[in-house]
Amino acid sequence: MQTGHHTYVIQDKYKSLEPFVRSLPEVFERQGTTIYKARNELKAYHTEGLDLIVKSFRKPIFINRIIYGFFRASKAERSYKHALKMLGNGIPTPEPVAYIEEKEGGLLNRSYYVSIFEKDYSEIRSQMLGKDADDVFIRSLARLVADLHKKGILQKDLSPGNILTKQEGEQYKFMLVDINRARFSKQLSARQRYRNFKRISENKDIIGRLAAEYASAMHEDKDKVLHEIEKYIAGFSKNYRL
């Protein structure tokens, strides 16, 4: 749906949220509760009995305004469509509600992505530092990554801040967020798979345990998997600090 300079896409099951979605470009700056703000901003809202997260992507640089305006899907559109694809493949991610694009003269100004707010989930940063990462957690996380890779899905931002978890009894559930840069293919190469771990942790114990469980899930040699994963983590860490 297009109104003026705004394009709105809303999942059919959430059509009742259309007035809220349409109002976002006007009210985002003054309404909602900010939960993260850097290059982009995340705000929480409660409306129609639902808890929602709205991600406002910053205005792109001029050349990217052209690219996103005419040649490539915006980050908001990709977030929405990738979430539908992941859920369709049985990969957990917050359910997409809508996305909005604000354009001027065909060039993209801002875009917004709306999803369900999974309030019970939290980031896995502490576990990836070696705190509270029991064997069940490590095994569950490794199997999640293995499931992604078996299905040809590459979550390029596979970092502790983009993997959310909650514990139910003795089991762990996960959610992947910030998925606009995900890639979908029929099959991933070994290099793509091992390199995908480069941002997940720098704790040697955690890396070793994850590699062993991942190797088991993929039916690969654990020593080779550990060597390859450590190689990419070391390369990323070195380049990141330069």
Side-chain angles (χ1 to χ4, degrees):
M1 172 178 24
Q2 192 161 356
T3 307
H5 298 306
H6 296 101
T7 299
Y8 306 85
V9 173
I10 307 172
Q11 240 204 113
D12 286 343
K13 65 187 290 186
Y14 294 115
K15 283 297 185 182
S16 65
L17 294 175
E18 184 175 332
F20 167 77
V21 171
R22 288 168 62 94
S23 73
L24 278 171
E26 301 297 327
V27 306
F28 184 82
E29 293 297 328
R30 63 180 187 273
Q31 294 182 9
T33 302
T34 298
I35 59 175
Y36 176 82
K37 186 173 183 178
R39 290 181 302 171
N40 307 311
E41 184 171 3
L42 289 175
K43 281 191 171 184
Y45 294 81
H46 184 82
T47 185
E48 298 281 328
L50 295 171
D51 291 307
L52 304 173
I53 284 287
V54 179
K55 184 171 187 177
S56 171
F57 294 94
R58 71 173 178 175
K59 185 176 180 178
I61 61 174
F62 182 73
I63 186 63
N64 285 342
R65 291 185 65 205
I66 298 172
I67 291 170
Y68 290 136
F70 296 102
F71 305 109
R72 189 181 183 195
S74 69
K75 292 180 179 180
E77 180 181 353
R78 281 181 279 143
S79 296
Y80 178 87
K81 291 183 175 179
H82 289 179
L84 291 174
K85 279 187 179 182
M86 285 205 174
L87 291 172
N89 278 281
I91 301 299
T93 191
E95 187 170 11
V97 172
Y99 74 88
I100 308 159
E101 294 176 341
E102 183 181 68
K103 293 182 179 180
E104 184 177 355
L107 307 184
L108 183 69
N109 279 341
R110 300 191 69 87
S111 60
Y112 305 83
Y113 171 55
V114 187
S115 63
I116 297 297
F117 186 12
E118 299 288 354
K119 295 196 299 182
D120 295 336
Y121 285 76
S122 57
E123 297 175 350
I124 65 166
R125 294 184 190 277
S126 64
Q127 290 94 333
M128 293 299 93
L129 291 171
K131 304 171 184 177
D132 304 319
D134 60 38
D135 290 341
V136 176
F137 175 88
I138 293 294
R139 187 177 306 115
S140 300
L141 177 59
R143 288 176 178 174
L144 170 67
V145 180
D147 192 30
L148 277 170
H149 291 171
K150 288 176 182 178
K151 292 172 178 176
I153 301 173
L154 193 67
Q155 161 61 325
K156 297 190 74 172
D157 292 319
L158 195 68
S159 63
N162 292 334
I163 305 171
L164 310 181
T165 190
K166 74 173 180 178
Q167 189 172 3
E168 291 187 349
E170 296 181 356
Q171 302 301 313
Y172 293 90
K173 290 189 173 182
F174 295 94
M175 287 275 175
L176 296 180
V177 297
D178 201 7
I179 58 174
N180 71 84
R181 294 181 65 232
R183 296 290 181 268
F184 301 82
S185 60
K186 291 183 178 180
Q187 187 174 358
L188 299 177
S189 68
R191 179 182 181 275
Q192 286 176 308
R193 293 189 292 105
Y194 301 145
R195 191 171 181 267
N196 201 204
F197 284 88
K198 68 181 182 181
R199 298 179 60 192
I200 203 162
S201 177
E202 291 186 1
N203 182 287
K204 288 189 175 296
D205 176 62
I206 294 296
I207 294 167
R209 292 162 65 194
L210 267 177
E213 293 292 349
Y214 177 81
S216 176
M218 299 296 288
H219 306 291
E220 297 179 334
D221 180 77
K222 66 178 183 180
D223 292 331
K224 177 185 177 182
V225 170
L226 176 59
H227 172 75
E228 293 295 320
I229 288 176
E230 286 184 329
K231 177 179 71 177
Y232 287 113
I233 290 174
F236 173 76
S237 298
K238 179 181 178 181
N239 292 330
Y240 186 74
R241 293 190 181 107
L242 290 178

